[in-house]
Amino acid sequence: MPGALYMEGDGLSLYTIEEADLEFLRDTINHPQVRPTLYSRAPINLKQETKYFEESISAETAANLLICVDGERAGTIGLGPFEAGDGNAEIGLFLAPEFWGSGHGTEASRLMTDYAFRERGLHRVYADVLAPNEASARIWQGLGYRHEGTFEEAAILDGERVAIERYAILGREWQP
């Protein structure tokens, strides 16, 4: 069962991430379809996921939430770190493959972007996307994020150098 309910949206809910969710996180981040969409390429075991939970997910400098659809764990979304003074934070998410193409990634991202500006008072939110991940790029474009730039050959995917595309939105531009 997920942790405490934090936000509700259209067809999904966002909950706090608890230790009971760590096996789901480990299994999903290692999934052969999910792994290539992320920066992390090394296998993650439960001990490593637990360390990440303790050091990053539980940090006060970030907001990390579990995406649930009809009470079922679907993925995670995170925002942070909240840099002192500059008002910038990175947003990122992943979903289990059975939830791809459902609009849940867009809805979770809308909720978290709104939280960033309305509750955290951030100035700018940005997302980095591996160039081949067109589905992720569509999420940010659909929410009004603009393409800020391309980092050529900044990552490796399947043994090939790929670009990282950066999308961002300012608080004054945000229209939920």
Side-chain angles (χ1 to χ4, degrees), residues 105-106 109-110 113 138-145 169 174-175:
T106 299
S109 299
R110 183 191 67 76
T113 302
R138 282 192 302 272
I139 288 173
W140 309 117
Q141 292 164 349
L143 290 173
Y145 284 61
I169 191 165
W174 175 243
Q175 297 185 23

Side-chain angles (χ1 to χ4, degrees), residues 3-90:
L5 177 63
Y6 197 76
M7 285 187 256
E8 289 185 290
D10 186 20
L12 62 81
S13 301
L14 301 179
Y15 292 87
T16 58
I17 298 174
E18 305 296 339
E19 286 185 53
D21 303 314
L22 296 183
E23 287 185 18
F24 165 78
L25 298 178
R26 178 208 54 206
D27 294 348
T28 306
I29 203 165
N30 283 303
H31 192 285
Q33 288 177 275
V34 175
R35 190 177 64 249
T37 67
L38 307 171
Y39 297 120
S40 175
R41 298 296 189 294
I44 306 293
N45 63 32
L46 192 55
K47 183 176 180 180
Q48 291 165 309
E49 191 65 45
T50 301
K51 182 177 179 184
Y52 182 73
F53 170 76
E54 292 168 352
E55 294 177 0
S56 297
I57 292 176
S58 300
E60 292 181 18
T61 59
N64 292 283
L65 296 167
L66 186 71
I67 302 167
C68 291
V69 176
D70 296 326
E72 184 179 352
R73 294 173 181 97
T76 66
I77 188 157
L79 180 71
F82 308 123
E83 302 294 334
D86 68 7
N88 290 302
E90 182 176 9

Side-chain angles (χ1 to χ4, degrees), residues 37 39 90-91 93 126-141 147 149-151 155 162-167:
T37 67
Y39 297 120
E90 182 176 9
I91 190 171
L93 79 150
Y126 67 93
D128 286 347
V129 177
L130 294 174
N133 190 348
E134 294 174 9
S136 184
R138 282 192 302 272
I139 288 173
W140 309 117
Q141 292 164 349
H147 184 256
T150 301
F151 299 93
V162 298
I164 294 174
E165 305 293 345
R166 175 156 294 170
Y167 295 88

